[in-house]
């Protein structure tokens, strides 16, 4: 079995640019296997940009991203397809395919990447939907269910192939506190049960304290990481006023 | 493949020590099931290797074989050799346990480690038995389908009529209160429909004129009636083909664009936003598009006529020994103001239809990306249909007027 605690994602000297605007400059960090790693920061600090670079949707201006020993930012894109089967992404807007039922959404990667017969796929799909408490909703269309249910269905789809790493972009955005707490618990349970590494981008303080093993905080003016560590530790002991005001949820006054 | 080996070993009822697990770990599909014990007696199943989604099918088949007659009196599953388990594997183990229980066979796991226990706890047994809350796409009978198609057609007709009423009201208001119209938008759409559409309209009509002249010259030459090529191209284009061809091109270019634009706005709740802000979506979105199309399509038609005549002229001059002057003189002699005006009036009517149906199909969108695609297709198809129907009506009416 693969060892827990070894680095699974390595980001080195990552610089992200849109046109002339530099969003992130020389950012380096590592995510360890089996941990829930949370990226926090105020709006516009480049959290989502960082995530898009980590899942290979954007190419960095400089630096590299290595997932499971494969450099996904390399010129030669041969490794990236293999890595894509090892990662699952939960998008902010769920990104379920509107023309497919929930079961078809979840079954899509199973049908494309495995040679399982239909009954086996159905069984796995029912299990996945059961894991996210959506048992019985196989034949519903995404437009027929609520936002929280869409998020959970998208999570079931992201988990279809039991990826090593799950990425979450603002999982609790637009959800009520109860649904949001349930999603946090689900993330926690899956991490505990399957040992899945999770990278979560969020600015919901409650979620951060509930699920995070380790956080990094990004800052807009710094264009990089200003704090790293356990969220409770950062809240109680950080001397940086920006970090302290974020974790205490108070306005930053000069 | 080790699992095949595993099966052969089991049939031979021999015990073979697990394969080299270290070597197997690197291989993705290494997996084996070993069975110990006698048929009908206490049976121990030792699973080793990767119990994961890629081995699901094979493992499922192996497991089915366990229930052959005579079934075991008790079943023990040894997971010591399992070096990777995912949720599909956990599902398999769960199935094994459930089926054993259903057959009242005493069942237990041995060497179930912490990680495997964690994954198995995620499998919700109740969820697997839950029936879908909604049946999967029921199949329709012929009559049911027919009935639904008729209802859909009638509803569609009703919706189009309602939209026509709304659009006419909004246009009436725009005429009486010209300041309420968003003229900036109108100008933008005039450019999109007109200026941007001119190159393709010009090219197609030039070629059309060329082809018409060439085809007709082959026949008319035999009678020495070369000069009538000019009349044929002129009259044919100005009265019929000019307005129709331009309308078809604009329906494809702009009618579809209107439907896609409004449809996407509908999906993004932008139309709802307009409504609650106190704007009438028809006035706000449809009127500028319709006005722009109505103003620009006649102009495009004039261009189409001119380019078609130029195409005919090229054939006339190069292939039929006509001079430019004679050709143009003949063209002008055959055409009446009535021909030109009726063509332009027709093109205005087509513009109303194209832009109107484009907007209406856009407003109809419910759902997501696929609905936008369907609306776009429907906008073009409906526009083409309506153009032909309207043209036939014009043909009859104009015949009696002239």
């Amino acid at each position: 079995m693969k060892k827990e605690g070894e680095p699974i994602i390595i980001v080195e000297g990552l610089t992200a640019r849109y046109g002339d605007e530099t969003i992130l400059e020389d950012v380096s960090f590592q995510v360890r296997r089996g941990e829930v790693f949370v990226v926090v920061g105020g709006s516009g600090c480049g959290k989502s940009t960082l995530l898009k670079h980590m899942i290979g949707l954007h190419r960095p201006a400089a630096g590299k991203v290595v997932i499971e020993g494969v450099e996904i930012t390399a010129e030669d894109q041969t490794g990236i397809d293999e890595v894509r089967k090892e990662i699952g992404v939960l998008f902010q807007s769920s990104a379920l395919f509107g023309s497919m039922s929930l079961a078809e959404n979840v079954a899509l990667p199973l049908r494309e990447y495995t040679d399982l017969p239909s009954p086996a796929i159905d069984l796995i799909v029912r299990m996945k939907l059961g894991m996210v408490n959506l048992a019985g909703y196989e034949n519903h269309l995404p437009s027929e269910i609520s936002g929280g249910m869409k998020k959970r269905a998208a999570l079931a789809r992201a988990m279809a192939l039991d990826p090593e790493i799950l990425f979450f972009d603002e999982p609790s955005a637009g959800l009520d506190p109860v649904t949001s707490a349930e999603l946090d618990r689900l993330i926690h349970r899956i991490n505990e049960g399957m040992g899945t590494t999770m990278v979560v981008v969020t600015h919901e303080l409650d979620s951060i304290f509930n699920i995070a093993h380790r956080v990094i905080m990004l800052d807009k003016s710094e264009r990089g990481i200003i704090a790293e560590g356990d969220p409770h530790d950062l809240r109680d002991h950080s001397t940086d006023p920006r970090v302290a005001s974020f974790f205490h949820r108070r306005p930053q006054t000069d | 493949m080790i699992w095949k080996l595993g099966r052969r070993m089991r049939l031979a009822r021999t015990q073979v020590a697990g394969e080299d697990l270290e070597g197997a770990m690197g291989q993705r599909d290494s997996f084996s099931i070993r069975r110990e014990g006698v048929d009908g007696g206490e049976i121990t199943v030792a699973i080793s290797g990767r119990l994961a989604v890629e081995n699901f099918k094979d493992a499922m088949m192996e497991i089915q074989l366990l229930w052959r007659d005579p079934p075991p009196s008790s079943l023990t599953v040894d997971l010591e050799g399992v070096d990777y388990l995912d949720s599909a594997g956990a599902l398999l183990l769960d199935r094994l346990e459930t089926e054993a229980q259903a057959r009242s066979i005493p069942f237990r796991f041995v060497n179930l480690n912490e990680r495997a226990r964690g994954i198995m706890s995620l499998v919700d047994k109740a969820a697997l038995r839950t029936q879908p809350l909604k049946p999967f796409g029921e199949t329709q009978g012929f009559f049911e389908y027919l009935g639904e198609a008729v209802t859909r057609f009638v509803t569609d007709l009703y919706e189009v009529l309602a939209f026509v009423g709304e659009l006419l009201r909004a246009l009436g208001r725009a005429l009486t209160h010209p300041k309420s119209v968003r003229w900036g938008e109108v100008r933008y759409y005039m450019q999109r429909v007109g200026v941007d559409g001119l190159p393709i309209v010009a090219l197609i009509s030039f070629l059309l004129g060329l082809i018409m002249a060439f085809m007709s010259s082959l026949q008319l030459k035999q009678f020495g009636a070369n000069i009538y090529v000019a009349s044929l191209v002129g009259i044919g284009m100005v009265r019929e083909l000019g307005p129709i061809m331009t309308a078809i091109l604009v329906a494809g270019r702009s009618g579809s664009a209107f439907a896609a634009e409004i449809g996407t706005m509908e999906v993004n709740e932008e139309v709802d936003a307009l409504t609650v802000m106190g704007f009438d979506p028809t006035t706000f979105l449809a009127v500028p598009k319709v006005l722009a199309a109505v103003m620009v399509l006649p102009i495009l038609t004039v261009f189409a006529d001119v380019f078609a005549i130029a195409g005919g002229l090229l054939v006339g001059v190069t292939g039929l020994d006509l001079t430019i002057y004679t050709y143009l003189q003949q063209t002008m002699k055959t055409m009446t103001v009535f021909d030109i005006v009726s063509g332009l009036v027709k093109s205005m009517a087509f513009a109303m239809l194209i832009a109107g149906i484009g907007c209406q199909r856009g407003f109809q969108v419910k759902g997501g990306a696929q609905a936008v695609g369907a609306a776009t297709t429907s906008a073009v198809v409906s526009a083409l249909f309506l153009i032909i129907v309207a043209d036939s009506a014009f043909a009859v009416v104009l015949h009696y007027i002239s």
Side-chain angles (χ1 to χ4, degrees), chain A residues 1 86 99 101 104 110 114-117 120 123-124 126-128 130-131 133 135-141 144 161-162 164 189-190 192-195, chain B residues 25 28 53-54 56-57 60 82-84 86-88 90-91 95 113 115 118-119 121-124 127-136 367 370:
Chain A
M1 198 174 278
E86 297 290 322
S99 54
S101 69
E104 287 168 328
L110 290 166
T114 68
D115 58 350
L116 293 178
L123 195 62
I124 294 177
R126 299 227 320 237
M127 172 191 67
K128 299 281 169 182
M131 270 187 190
N133 301 328
Y137 285 92
E138 292 95 314
N139 298 332
H140 280 63
L141 288 173
E144 295 167 335
L161 292 173
D162 278 319
E164 287 287 332
R189 262 184 56 196
I190 291 164
E192 292 268 290
M194 317 234 314
Chain B
M25 267 175 76
R28 272 192 80 93
V53 66
E54 64 266 21
F56 191 86
K57 190 168 77 177
M60 202 73 176
V82 174
D83 50 44
Y84 181 85
D86 71 359
S87 64
L91 177 66
R95 293 277 86 190
N113 64 19
R115 188 179 143 81
I119 295 177
S121 74
L122 290 176
V123 179
D124 181 355
L128 293 173
R129 283 194 305 273
T130 312
Q131 288 303 309
L133 295 168
K134 223 183 83 175
F136 179 73
Q370 213 174 34

Side-chain angles (χ1 to χ4, degrees), chain B residues 156-400:
Chain B
D156 188 46
L157 205 66
Y158 173 79
E159 280 177 5
V160 169
L161 274 179
F163 179 78
V164 166
E166 216 167 298
L167 185 64
L168 287 179
R169 187 188 52 79
L171 283 174
R173 220 185 94 82
L175 286 181
T176 50
H177 304 79
K179 280 199 175 144
S180 71
V181 179
R182 299 160 68 229
W183 291 107
E185 286 287 284
V186 175
R187 226 187 57 193
Y188 170 77
Y189 286 111
M190 281 173 82
Q191 184 181 346
R192 286 272 302 276
V193 178
V195 180
D196 298 353
L198 184 59
I200 187 73
V201 169
L203 177 70
I204 299 275
S205 10
F206 182 78
L207 291 177
L208 197 67
L210 206 92
I211 295 164
M212 271 168 76
F214 183 69
M215 298 301 284
S216 55
S217 74
L218 293 180
Q219 302 298 318
L220 293 173
K221 232 187 210 166
Q222 298 175 16
F223 307 101
N226 287 359
I227 190 67
Y228 290 111
V229 167
S231 314
L232 193 141
V233 172
I235 287 283
M237 262 332 267
V238 169
R239 275 178 56 165
E240 276 301 326
L241 286 174
I244 286 245
M245 281 312 293
T246 316
I248 287 175
L249 287 173
V250 169
R253 274 192 82 251
S254 304
S256 55
F258 294 164
E261 186 184 323
I262 297 183
T264 311
M265 291 181 79
E266 189 81 57
V267 172
N268 290 341
E269 296 183 314
E270 288 173 50
V271 176
D272 296 343
L274 282 175
T275 312
V276 294
M277 285 159 82
F279 298 109
D280 172 29
T282 314
T283 311
F284 199 90
L285 297 173
V287 167
K289 294 182 177 67
V290 173
L291 282 182
V294 169
M295 285 192 261
V296 140
L297 205 63
I299 303 175
L300 274 181
T301 307
V302 170
F303 273 105
D305 295 346
V306 169
F307 277 98
I309 290 168
L313 182 69
L314 186 67
V315 173
V317 172
T318 56
L320 300 172
D321 296 331
L322 297 174
T323 61
I324 297 179
Y325 179 77
T326 9
Y327 188 95
L328 292 180
Q329 194 62 34
Q330 177 67 20
T331 306
M332 290 197 328
K333 213 162 71 188
T334 24
M335 260 193 277
T336 60
V337 175
F338 180 79
D339 292 330
I340 298 174
V341 172
S342 69
L344 296 186
V345 169
K346 262 206 289 204
S347 75
M348 283 166 101
F350 295 160
M352 282 281 282
L353 294 173
I354 294 165
I357 203 76
C359 295
Q360 195 268 337
R361 291 298 191 246
F363 282 121
Q364 248 181 0
V365 167
K366 295 272 170 308
Q370 213 174 34
V372 176
T376 313
T377 308
S378 167
V380 176
V381 174
S382 312
L384 294 181
F385 173 73
L386 290 174
I387 288 168
I388 300 298
V389 170
D391 193 53
S392 318
F394 269 112
V396 175
V397 172
L398 290 176
H399 175 75
Y400 286 106

Side-chain angles (χ1 to χ4, degrees), chain A residues 171-183:
Chain A
S172 31
L175 298 183
D176 65 86
V178 179
T179 315
S180 166
E182 278 168 6
L183 194 64

